[in-house]
Amino acid sequence: MRDTRAELLLQAETLVRRRGYAGFSYADLAETVRIRKASIHHHFPTKSDLAHALVAAYDARYDAALAEIRAGEPDAIERIAAYGALYLGGVEAGLGCLCAVLAIEGDALPATLRADIARFFEKHIAWLEGVLAEGVAAGSVRVSAEPRATARMVVAALEGALLMERLLAGPEGFRGTLAALCDGLRPAGVSSDRTDTI
Amino acid sequence: MRDTRAELLLQAETLVRRRGYAGFSYADLAETVRIRKASIHHHFPTKSDLAHALVAAYDARYDAALAEIRAGEPDAIERIAAYGALYLGGVEAGLGCLCAVLAIEGDALPATLRADIARFFEKHIAWLEGVLAEGVAAGSVRVSAEPRATARMVVAALEGALLMERLLAGPEGFRGTLAALCDGLRPAGVSSDRTDTI
DNA sequence: AAAAATCTACCTACTCATTGGTAGAACGAA
DNA sequence: TTCGTTCTACCAATGAGTAGGTAGATTTTT
């Protein structure tokens, strides 16, 4: 027995992350999942229903990943490197960030969806702010501005790098940006042994 | 006598930057420019012709702006701040970066267009690499990694911030990221008087 | 346990607005 | 008269979404 709904979510996510929200159709999705177009409407009545479900699933996966990083990695810089590695997966697969894709088409999207996306980003910023604040307290991080502004900058840099390096230098280019980002947060005089093995 | 072609380019750019490439149509454009749909085809036979022209014009404007910054501003950090201010205009107007928008829908775009966009980003990276290298030589910039990787990171951070802050905190949020970015590039012990007045 | 009712997941076969694009005529300026 | 521009009037294809039906599993009633 196959879980059609899950399959639809998986393939729809890939399509959106590859071609954008307006750039994929129920017909495309129907073809890749090998189901009739009308059957998709049974699971997701409208396209924006599907989009909501997509964001919810994506968000939940990130929630789990953030929690795991926090639990498994004590060092702040390593936590950020691990966070960056989540994006690296996208670059490797040639897929943009779901929420970045949707954010860009923002003006054409339902307001509720835009709110979901905003919450996604806010959550990441808050998480990073916490990580940075702890790192500063522990002396393993040097932040030039307030942690909040730096947190925003880190998310922005990673989102931007995913967007750009998918077209330019691929994983190679992304790793470079991630390394530069992490190095910039290290206190002066601390070596950066591990940044090239992220 | 009005320059319809220029008007078309202007309005099309706004539409794309607001809703994405797949998210706007010749019908939309015709309505805002108050012309018939078929007349647009006279100026831009196909949609991808229009897209190419859009990128070319956008790219040319950035070329001019980068040259002006280089000519008018001697200090490296101030140059980067001025570069960031170019993006700020987008946040204020609620418009994404044209090339970021197109990059995200990359897989659905003609390959030639993708190449144009890649060149746009490469150019910015190269420009920033030059600015950073000069700054390092002059002692006004401290780069933790190689200038090339830092340059990539700067473009990524600004592209990402424009994308995100359009939905989140607006110009306020963007200025914060820009300040954090610039502060991170300043040599230790140098005050950041001007970052809040960018 | 058998029969009846309901539900789930999928189907074919549409609707109807919109998409990018074309053909060819009309207009105005040089 | 010719050229550049804009128009009306179309086209085939595709978009999201709907109507209504069928086969099979599940639940409810007798």
Side-chain angles (χ1 to χ4, degrees):
Chain A
M1 184 190 101
R2 79 172 186 158
D3 186 347
T4 309
R5 196 190 136 95
E7 184 72 8
L8 283 170
L9 282 173
L10 176 67
Q11 299 300 339
E13 185 184 309
T14 333
L15 283 172
V16 175
R17 293 174 66 185
R18 228 190 275 282
R19 315 213 281 244
Y21 177 69
F24 96 100
S25 73
Y26 268 35
D28 298 328
L29 183 55
E31 198 181 352
T32 64
V33 178
R34 236 88 64 91
I35 205 181
R36 294 298 156 171
K37 200 166 62 90
S39 309
I40 304 178
H41 285 283
H42 170 71
H43 297 274
F44 305 100
T46 72
K47 208 183 173 188
S48 67
D49 287 331
L50 173 56
H52 267 102
L54 245 29
V55 172
Y58 194 74
D59 188 51
R61 260 155 50 210
Y62 262 93
D63 271 354
L66 296 193
E68 199 185 312
I69 292 172
R70 252 211 126 127
E73 188 66 64
D75 179 66
I77 300 275
E78 290 302 320
R79 279 174 175 173
I80 291 171
Y83 175 68
L86 298 176
Y87 288 76
L88 182 57
V91 186
E92 278 162 349
L95 304 173
C97 167
L98 178 72
C99 290
V101 170
L102 293 172
I104 276 213
E105 293 171 74
D107 281 39
L109 260 44
T112 56
L113 194 52
R114 243 175 312 168
D116 284 356
I117 299 159
R119 231 171 294 124
F120 175 86
F121 288 128
E122 301 274 23
K123 191 188 289 182
H124 286 226
I125 292 170
W127 184 84
L128 276 165
E129 190 182 354
V131 167
L132 287 170
E134 275 188 41
V136 169
S140 59
V141 167
R142 177 187 51 92
V143 199
S144 37
E146 312 112 58
R148 181 135 194 94
T150 307
R152 298 186 99 81
M153 195 268 278
V154 171
V155 183
L158 294 174
E159 286 288 353
L162 171 51
L163 183 140
M164 260 181 28
E165 303 296 357
R166 189 156 71 104
L167 258 99
L168 302 185
E172 199 75 19
F174 186 88
R175 266 186 277 257
T177 286
L178 180 52
L181 192 62
C182 289
D183 285 354
L185 294 170
R186 246 178 275 272
V190 176
S191 81
S192 56
D193 319 351
R194 283 225 35 221
T195 35
D196 52 340
T197 54
I198 285 159
Chain B
M1 184 190 104
R2 75 170 190 162
D3 187 346
T4 310
R5 196 191 136 94
E7 184 72 10
L8 284 169
L9 281 173
L10 176 68
Q11 298 301 338
E13 185 184 309
T14 328
L15 284 172
V16 175
R17 293 174 65 185
R18 229 190 275 283
R19 316 212 281 242
Y21 178 71
F24 96 101
S25 72
Y26 268 35
D28 297 330
L29 183 54
E31 198 181 355
T32 64
V33 179
R34 235 88 66 90
I35 206 180
R36 295 295 157 173
K37 201 167 59 93
S39 308
I40 304 178
H41 285 282
H42 171 70
H43 297 274
F44 305 100
T46 72
K47 208 185 174 187
S48 65
D49 287 332
L50 174 56
H52 267 101
L54 244 29
V55 173
Y58 194 74
D59 188 50
R61 260 156 50 212
Y62 261 93
D63 270 354
L66 296 193
E68 200 185 311
I69 292 172
R70 239 194 143 142
E73 188 66 66
D75 180 66
I77 302 274
E78 289 302 320
R79 279 173 174 174
I80 292 172
Y83 175 69
L86 298 176
Y87 288 75
L88 182 57
V91 186
E92 278 162 349
L95 303 172
C97 168
L98 177 70
C99 290
V101 171
L102 294 172
I104 275 210
E105 293 171 72
D107 282 37
L109 260 43
T112 57
L113 194 52
R114 244 177 311 172
D116 285 357
I117 299 159
R119 231 171 295 126
F120 174 86
F121 288 127
E122 301 274 24
K123 190 188 288 183
H124 286 226
I125 292 170
W127 183 85
L128 276 164
E129 189 182 356
V131 167
L132 288 170
E134 277 188 40
V136 169
S140 59
V141 167
R142 176 188 50 92
V143 201
S144 36
E146 310 114 58
R148 181 133 195 96
T150 308
R152 296 187 100 81
M153 193 267 277
V154 171
V155 183
L158 294 173
E159 285 289 352
L162 170 51
L163 182 139
M164 258 182 28
E165 302 297 356
R166 189 156 71 104
L167 259 102
L168 302 185
E172 199 75 20
F174 185 88
R175 266 186 277 258
T177 286
L178 181 51
L181 192 62
C182 289
D183 285 355
L185 293 171
R186 245 178 276 269
V190 177
S191 81
S192 57
D193 319 350
R194 284 225 34 220
T195 34
D196 53 340
T197 56
I198 286 159

